[in-house]
Amino acid sequence: MDIPKNGYEQAAISLAPIETDMTLEDFLQSDLEGYEYFNGSLIPIAPTTMEHGEISMNIGIFLGLHIRENQLGRLYMTGTDFKLGDQLVKPDVAFVATARLPENKRQASPVAPDLAVEVVSPTDLQYHVIEKTFAYLNAGTRLVWVIEPVAKTVTVYRSQTDIKTLTYEDTLTGEDVVEGFSCQVSQLFE
């Protein structure tokens, strides 16, 4: 007997990577929406939940206010394209320092963000989240935060070997990337 799948299980099936012979340039010139281009495959972007949206907005508000008040650079929210070599990704939240901002802002960013934030969705595969995290780091991103809503944790990546997980009661800081920024991890989940 077939057990009906819920919407997220069905979405996970349809979110499998799609191998393509398309190059990054072909992808950028296409009108395909709702995908990232990663390792020669199209990666469908998972539908966001209200929880995902709230967490992204919380981090955006806290970070955005700090960045704006201190004139550190620009904050970008979901949907902004960043080229990481021959890959194109859309972090949930990204920060680029003033000194690294590209002149032409009417295209995908040719520079990797200084800070990339990924909020894990119910349909995200852990393998892909980590692969994407390492792609950011390999492209020059100095700090990556992976926010896990179920466990209410933030895993902070400085490199492939400098990794720490913060729990609900810990303090998240911008370290030397977003200087002076800090908030309680618990605030991200309120």
Side-chain angles (χ1 to χ4, degrees):
M1 174 164 133
D2 287 336
I3 299 172
K5 293 179 172 56
N6 69 34
Y8 287 104
E9 289 171 336
Q10 290 171 337
I13 293 167
S14 66
L15 291 175
I18 302 165
E19 293 201 22
T20 181
D21 57 0
M22 197 182 262
T23 66
L24 176 59
E25 290 308 314
D26 293 337
F27 177 72
L28 288 170
Q29 293 174 8
S30 76
D31 59 357
L32 287 173
E33 292 289 328
Y35 293 93
E36 293 178 316
Y37 182 87
F38 201 82
N39 292 336
S41 295
L42 299 176
I43 308 295
I45 296 172
T48 56
T49 62
M50 290 178 72
E51 176 182 59
H52 185 281
E54 288 173 6
I55 294 167
S56 296
M57 186 57 72
N58 285 344
I59 194 68
I61 289 169
F62 296 132
L63 262 178
L65 288 173
H66 179 79
I67 289 166
R68 189 171 202 75
E69 287 173 4
N70 294 284
Q71 300 178 352
L72 300 175
R74 294 285 185 212
L75 192 68
Y76 299 93
M77 298 301 285
T78 303
T80 305
D81 294 338
F82 285 85
K83 285 186 190 178
L84 306 178
D86 63 350
Q87 301 171 105
L88 185 93
V89 296
K90 300 172 188 279
D92 292 309
V93 180
F95 163 72
V96 179
T98 301
R100 297 186 62 246
L101 287 169
E103 286 187 33
N104 183 357
K105 295 181 185 176
R106 294 181 179 228
Q107 63 181 10
S109 175
V111 300
D114 292 288
L115 165 68
V117 180
E118 293 291 336
V119 179
V120 177
S121 296
T123 56
D124 279 336
L125 299 175
Q126 182 181 11
Y127 177 87
H128 180 66
V129 172
I130 301 223
E131 185 178 42
K132 189 174 174 183
T133 298
F134 287 173
Y136 284 121
L137 295 169
N138 291 335
T141 298
R142 297 170 48 212
L143 190 60
V144 180
W145 296 339
V146 176
I147 301 175
E148 212 309 306
V150 175
K152 294 186 176 14
T153 60
V154 179
T155 303
V156 178
Y157 292 82
R158 291 293 302 217
S159 71
Q160 292 184 15
T161 57
D162 185 356
I163 304 165
K164 70 180 165 187
T165 299
L166 305 176
T167 63
Y168 198 74
E169 295 180 353
D170 291 325
T171 300
L172 177 64
T173 69
E175 301 181 26
D176 62 341
V177 178
V178 185
E179 290 189 33
F181 173 78
S182 70
C183 76
Q184 292 300 121
V185 169
S186 61
Q187 291 180 284
L188 303 178
F189 304 101
E190 293 177 347

